[in-house]
Amino acid sequence: GPDGTATSYAGFARRVQAAADRLLDRGLRPGEAVAVADRNSLELAVAIFACARAGLVLLGLNTRLAPPQWAYMLQHSRVRLTLAGPEFRPALADAQPLRETLLGDAAWSPGPAPAQDAAYAVVYTSGTTGRPKASQVVHRCSVHSAMSYQRVLGLRPGERTAVLFPLYYISAMHAHVLPAMLAGATCVLTDTTSPRDYVRLLAREAISWAYAVPSWWRLAVRSPELVAAELPGLRRLAAGGAPFPADLVAALRQRLPATRLIDVYGLSETHSPATMLFDEEFADRPGSVGRPLPCMEAAVRGDDGRELPPETAGELWLRGSLVTTGYAGDPAATAAAIVDGWFSTGDVARIDSDGYVYVLDRTKDMINRGGTKVFSAEVEAVLLAHPDIEDVAVVAAPDPLAGEAVAAYVVRRPGATLDPAAVRGWVRDRLADYAAPQLVRFVDALPRNAVGKTDKPLLRAELR
């Protein structure tokens, strides 16, 4: 853990059994919800597994959210018991101390196995299109996700992974903790907010598998310690949650030539992964997020729900053993999102004739300029290739004539003297003229939402 605590898997199992017993002793019944607020810690990991063991449903309260947002989730999930670390108890009046409630050591008892399709946690979506939905985290899907990661990564006993994401994020458990358990590898928990400190941890702990969002790696590249000489054991590095820009790929290759890169695309509703692009594929498939994992299928559909031919843009649908069973307490949202086993991602994509997926945009982020579609992700990729641009977000701005205009929020590299005309010209020379931003705003940093992604709803709201 971040505080230096450590345990073996056998010791962890005893803690989990004791915690599950304690939760059930409080009168909780299978299917009822337990909320937990804490930073990454051994106790938080125990809480997740204890709920799964006891047949309860864990709600991890994102510590970046405000208490009013927690209140909605607590009410929606009908939480029976709330546990919190010391710094979060004042914001949760009825919360019990996390450590003291779960503390104990008991022999593992082989109780009844949970139903494969039972949920043991919920993960609330970011809520960028309204109230967040509680995506169910399902035993069967978690096992398949962990097996997929373990096989892809080739994790071996004795290897070490650094869990940067909070443990209640979907990728923390599925890309790190569960695959490490399958392999007999070691999980090192961290709660750092500093990319440079994280890089130092990778070196100090001899980490072999690391995963973060691209914006985190972009900041980490500034660290002089992010080089092969300091990280000789870092065999694999992945980015996910947002497009993996070509310039960032090039910078990581230059710093870490022996480290295999992986681009992961997935959602909370797919228990982390759905497609992956592997190191040797980057050069031939620039901009792709790879092909579906063996247990998944992908299709692109038009507005009428029919599958579209290769290379045609439409909405990306996914099917397979990683897709959630639905949204807790929201049958209407479940019925709208999952049709005949196919999950509607809300992403605009195309699939080439070899099955490689290219995510072009979120449906809600696509810009309609006078009837012509502009994919914000495509414009962002072009702008990120500019030598003077460090970060960028492209959103729709109101336009009385064309309906929507292209607006770009641009973070310049230190010392750069870029002006709006240069930004427009760079795009106009590489894409259609209608894709060039009509509005360019320079900012010191882009706003991030609670899961670390660019807060585009906030940027769009500024333009109204």
Side-chain angles (χ1 to χ4, degrees), residues 59-71 73 88 91 124-126 132 168-169 449-451:
L59 164 59
L61 294 173
N62 190 327
T63 57
R64 295 185 63 182
L65 296 178
Q69 293 169 295
W70 286 351
M73 296 175 184
F88 301 107
Y124 278 83
T125 60
S126 57
Y168 42 77
Y169 280 25
N449 64 18
V451 295

Side-chain angles (χ1 to χ4, degrees), residues 120 123 135-138 141-146 148-149 153 165 169-179 209 211-212 238-242 263-276 289 293 295-296 318 321-324 343 347 453:
Y120 66 90
V123 173
S135 182
Q136 295 178 142
V137 186
V138 178
C141 302
S142 288
V143 171
H144 284 215
S145 177
S148 297
Y149 270 114
L153 298 171
F165 299 115
Y169 280 25
I170 203 75
S171 289
M173 285 290 293
H174 296 86
H176 295 284
V177 178
L178 294 174
W209 157 234
Y211 182 17
D263 191 351
V264 180
Y265 167 78
L267 307 97
S268 294
E269 292 89 341
T270 65
H271 291 73
S272 185
T275 72
M276 290 189 189
V289 293
L293 292 167
C295 58
M296 295 293 287
L318 299 167
S321 63
L322 304 185
V323 173
T324 182
F343 169 65
D347 285 335
K453 297 181 182 179

Side-chain angles (χ1 to χ4, degrees), residues 217 225-229 231 234 237 251-261:
W217 289 125
E225 292 96 342
L226 191 74
V227 290
L231 302 166
L234 188 61
L237 180 154
L252 289 168
R253 285 207 189 284
Q254 196 231 337
R255 294 289 197 92
L256 303 165
T259 300
R260 294 190 71 230
L261 304 182

Side-chain angles (χ1 to χ4, degrees), residues 95-163:
Q96 302 298 306
L98 173 65
R99 180 178 175 82
E100 288 82 346
T101 302
L102 301 181
L103 196 62
D105 189 87
W108 184 265
S109 60
Q116 290 191 23
D117 281 345
Y120 66 90
V122 291
V123 173
Y124 278 83
T125 60
S126 57
T128 53
T129 56
R131 283 291 195 186
K133 300 187 290 289
S135 182
Q136 295 178 142
V137 186
V138 178
H139 285 277
R140 168 181 52 81
C141 302
S142 288
V143 171
H144 284 215
S145 177
M147 291 171 66
S148 297
Y149 270 114
Q150 198 274 328
R151 289 175 181 177
V152 163
L153 298 171
L155 281 174
R156 300 187 296 258
E159 289 197 275
R160 300 166 73 82
T161 180
V163 189

